[in-house]
Amino acid sequence: MKITVERYHGLGNDYLVYDPNNNELKLNKENAAMLCNRNMGLGSDGILEGPFIGENHMSLRIWNPDGSIAEKSGNGVRIFAKYLKDAGYVQKKSYKLVTDGGLVEITYLNEDGSRLRVSMGKLSFWSDEVPVTGERREVINEDMVFGRTLYPVTCVSVGNPHCVIPMREISKPLVCKIGGYSEVARYFPERINTEIMKVTDQNHIEIETFERGAGYTMATGTGACAAAGVAYKLGLTGNKVIVNMPGGELMVEIDENWNVYMTGEVFYVAKIKLSNEFTEKLRIL
């Protein structure tokens, strides 16, 4: 059994693309986690498995590095779209792709498909759609306790759940400290992604992210959309902002119906052929 994967990154958020049409191994929680392991595997922030080809659509499955399934990933969707163009699955400038977190529409902005605009769906602040425990309400500026500290939290779904905390200063150690508690907090029955956000001006914000099932990441597409949506909802920015992250920046736009659009770049790194020994180890997991 021969296995090949492709490595890409979006703003330092790196993914492996596993094409089931070219490989025989069936991915599961254990072997996906092994592939993502940075010491004993290839190392990755996740795996993009697909395309799964239906009669009128293509879809993908997104694996977190702990082997759990993610509903949606902004960087992952852009990377997968670049792969589809590289591999010849897509020739059109625009098309729709099915994710577990809903339908996304992708538009290539240059010839090689490295710069893309993605329609990420509709933002929702409603507790039952994020989800957040308690009565149905929009979860905006609610006091929540993470690790014995009280924070003003706004929660939003971008097809996956996020809690966003505006702060005067942000850092990697701080988001890791908060995220270690917030990811598994009692408020969030399906766990949650956490962004701490600093508003620079009406058109720029900065974020640091702790992802559910992945931990600290240098950049996040859905997190950028979530934070931009929260900043706009709270009246801190306009509806079009540049989101700065340690890995780079994304442009995020929000329309009058709270549909969110993300524009950014991705980079192709390598095609990797796994050894027979490692392939066998994955097969028996």
Side-chain angles (χ1 to χ4, degrees):
M1 183 187 297
K2 303 294 183 183
I3 297 177
T4 59
V5 296
E6 313 271 353
R7 182 186 290 281
Y8 292 77
H9 79 81
L11 310 180
N13 194 197
D14 61 327
Y15 278 89
L16 301 172
V17 177
Y18 182 87
D19 191 332
N21 304 293
N22 299 330
N23 293 296
E24 297 178 15
L25 179 72
K26 184 174 176 59
L27 291 185
N28 58 38
K29 180 177 181 177
E30 289 74 24
N31 57 33
M34 177 61 75
L35 273 167
C36 292
N37 189 290
R38 295 194 183 275
N39 299 110
M40 294 182 288
L42 295 181
S44 174
D45 287 329
I47 300 172
L48 308 171
E49 184 184 9
F52 299 100
I53 302 172
E55 186 175 341
N56 298 309
H57 68 271
M58 287 187 292
S59 62
L60 81 154
R61 181 178 297 122
I62 304 170
W63 297 86
N64 287 319
D66 66 354
S68 61
I69 299 293
E71 298 95 337
K72 192 184 288 186
S73 163
N75 285 325
V77 165
R78 294 199 326 281
I79 285 170
F80 192 69
K82 166 69 169 157
Y83 171 74
L84 291 178
K85 189 172 182 68
D86 290 346
Y89 285 106
V90 173
Q91 283 80 40
K92 296 185 293 185
K93 183 178 179 180
S94 296
Y95 66 97
K96 294 180 179 179
L97 180 68
V98 177
T99 75
D100 286 347
L103 196 68
V104 297
E105 185 169 356
I106 295 156
T107 302
Y108 298 108
L109 300 179
N110 58 5
E111 193 64 31
D112 68 356
S114 61
R115 184 166 178 80
L116 310 98
R117 185 175 191 262
V118 182
S119 172
M120 293 290 289
K122 190 170 184 175
L123 299 174
S124 173
F125 300 86
W126 288 100
S127 57
D128 57 332
E129 295 179 6
V130 175
V132 183
T133 57
E135 74 282 357
R136 188 174 193 266
R137 79 263 184 216
E138 285 194 314
V139 185
I140 299 169
N141 255 341
E142 286 195 11
D143 289 337
M144 295 186 181
V145 177
F146 305 134
R148 298 185 179 180
T149 303
L150 192 68
Y151 297 98
V153 177
T154 298
C155 295
V156 59
S157 172
V158 194
N160 62 351
H162 293 263
C163 71
V164 180
I165 307 170
M167 310 189 86
R168 291 182 179 177
E169 297 298 332
I170 62 175
S171 67
K172 176 181 177 179
L174 182 55
V175 78
C176 289
K177 176 184 175 182
I178 296 171
Y181 291 104
S182 58
E183 180 184 2
V184 295
R186 58 183 174 82
Y187 310 105
F188 311 122
E190 296 180 11
R191 300 190 295 164
I192 206 154
N193 301 287
T194 302
E195 282 78 38
I196 56 176
M197 172 182 69
K198 177 181 178 181
V199 176
T200 307
D201 57 40
Q202 273 283 305
N203 303 306
H204 297 82
I205 63 174
E206 300 173 21
I207 64 171
E208 293 275 6
T209 299
F210 191 92
E211 285 195 349
R212 176 186 60 167
Y216 179 78
T217 55
M218 293 179 65
T220 165
T222 57
C225 293
V230 169
Y232 182 46
K233 186 78 167 177
L234 297 178
L236 303 174
T237 66
N239 69 320
K240 185 175 180 179
V241 297
I242 300 295
V243 183
N244 290 285
M245 298 165 281
E249 66 179 36
L250 291 171
M251 176 181 287
V252 178
E253 303 168 66
I254 302 154
D255 72 13
E256 64 275 10
N257 296 314
W258 292 96
N259 295 300
V260 62
Y261 304 86
M262 169 191 65
T263 301
E265 298 182 349
V266 296
F267 187 79
Y268 177 54
V269 178
K271 183 173 185 176
I272 304 168
K273 180 181 176 182
L274 305 188
S275 71
N276 292 335
E277 293 84 356
F278 187 53
T279 297
E280 179 60 20
K281 188 170 186 179
L282 295 174
R283 189 187 65 80
I284 62 176
L285 285 175

